[in-house]
Amino acid sequence: MRQLTGLHHVTAISATIRQNYAFYSRVLGMRLVKRTVNQDDTSAYHLFYADGAGTPGSDLTFFDWPLPPEHRGTCSIIRTGLRVNGSEALAWWAEHLRTTGVWVGDIVQRDNRLTLDLEDPEGQRLMLVDDGGIGEFVPWQRSPVPVEYQIRGLGPVLLSVPRLELTDAMLRLVLGMQLHHTYVHPDFPEQPVHVYTIGQGGPAAEVHVVAQPNLPIAQAGAGGVHHVAFRVSTFVEHQDWARWLRELRIPNSGIVDRYYFRSIYVREPNGILFELATDEPGFAVDEPTDTLGERLALPPFLESRRAQIEAGLKPLDTD
């Protein structure tokens, strides 16, 4: 059966990768579960932050590209959700984040959930969302954040598009999502936000979309999101998705073996890049689980170039 099960990862762009590493591992307390490179641009790190085991659906990842800041606008992913458990956790985060000097909003009720908006030092727009403690999560015992307050995984992603009907068709008719409900977002009350659910739904399996036809088209850059990936359970089901896209004659990358998962890349009609990524085999395919992310990991086809690749990368742990 061809069924997506939730969000797999969100990949964003950082122009200050050491600062990025310090913020996500030390301030947000996420575990760096894979320290590797962009397989299409080996001069750049590709860092994966996640829960304690690198569970699919908990990954927030970054390309290390020295770009100017993103020019915000439509045709883009404008906020990425991260799940935490309960109002007490959100209160802890509000106090914790205000001491770091990053921008943080107020705890508010939005779409019947408590949320807390924040931005990382490069302006990456995030939101902490109360998930009620439901769903997969493996704590990281070495995190500077107490277990009860740790980030549990990805929450809803919020997309801005100029024409809702085009994205709606992609999400529902091609990817099999359900339009569940709408709500009013206080930042743009003139347009309802449409909530699409994946599989069984819930905060780890939602895409929120708002139509903003009067905005300029976003220009990619540091502090912006590159793409969002959705979960496919197995390689066999992934092949079914590839066949389905071929049958519909929708342009796509075909299956790309990323070693830690397999991917299919496809753009929805408003230009936002989607990825269908497998849960298997996972990040422990080439490293022990207890030492994930502590060394540069390269897929086998890049291993012969290790010395050259390492020479071109900046040490992450140097302040």
Side-chain angles (χ1 to χ4, degrees), residues 6-26:
L7 299 167
H8 188 282
H9 66 266
V10 171
T11 294
I13 300 170
S14 173
T16 57
I17 201 65
R18 290 178 183 167
Q19 182 186 48
N20 177 276
Y21 171 69
F23 180 77
Y24 285 91
S25 63
R26 298 171 192 165

Side-chain angles (χ1 to χ4, degrees), residues 133-289:
I134 298 171
E136 297 172 277
F137 169 59
V138 178
W140 181 30
Q141 300 301 330
R142 291 160 53 195
S143 174
V145 173
V147 168
E148 63 269 28
Y149 304 141
Q150 284 182 21
I151 290 169
R152 296 166 43 80
L154 292 174
V157 291
L158 176 59
L159 280 55
S160 171
V161 298
R163 297 182 60 187
L164 177 66
E165 65 273 17
L166 299 177
T167 301
D168 172 85
M170 182 72 171
L171 296 178
R172 291 190 303 105
L173 304 180
V174 178
L175 298 182
M177 300 183 194
Q178 301 293 320
L179 176 56
H180 192 269
H181 64 277
T182 65
Y183 68 94
V184 176
H185 194 294
D187 290 351
F188 24 84
E190 69 284 355
Q191 294 287 351
V193 177
H194 293 69
V195 177
Y196 296 83
T197 57
I198 306 167
Q200 299 300 311
E206 289 179 359
V207 176
H208 296 195
V209 186
V210 60
Q212 296 182 302
N214 298 321
L215 291 184
I217 295 175
Q219 300 297 312
V225 174
H226 187 268
H227 66 269
V228 58
F230 305 113
R231 291 178 67 175
V232 177
S233 297
T234 66
F235 291 158
V236 172
E237 190 174 351
H238 202 238
Q239 292 170 343
D240 287 342
W241 278 104
R243 281 192 290 268
W244 173 240
L245 293 174
R246 286 198 302 271
E247 288 173 10
L248 296 178
R249 298 185 179 180
I250 294 176
N252 66 90
S253 66
I255 295 175
V256 180
D257 189 351
R258 296 300 190 191
Y259 190 57
Y260 307 109
F261 45 85
R262 293 181 184 174
S263 301
I264 302 169
Y265 300 91
V266 58
R267 289 194 183 274
E268 57 84 37
N270 283 295
I272 298 173
L273 184 60
F274 289 169
E275 177 183 351
L276 309 183
T278 60
D279 286 357
E280 53 186 14
F283 293 121
V285 68
D286 61 351
E287 295 183 285
T289 301

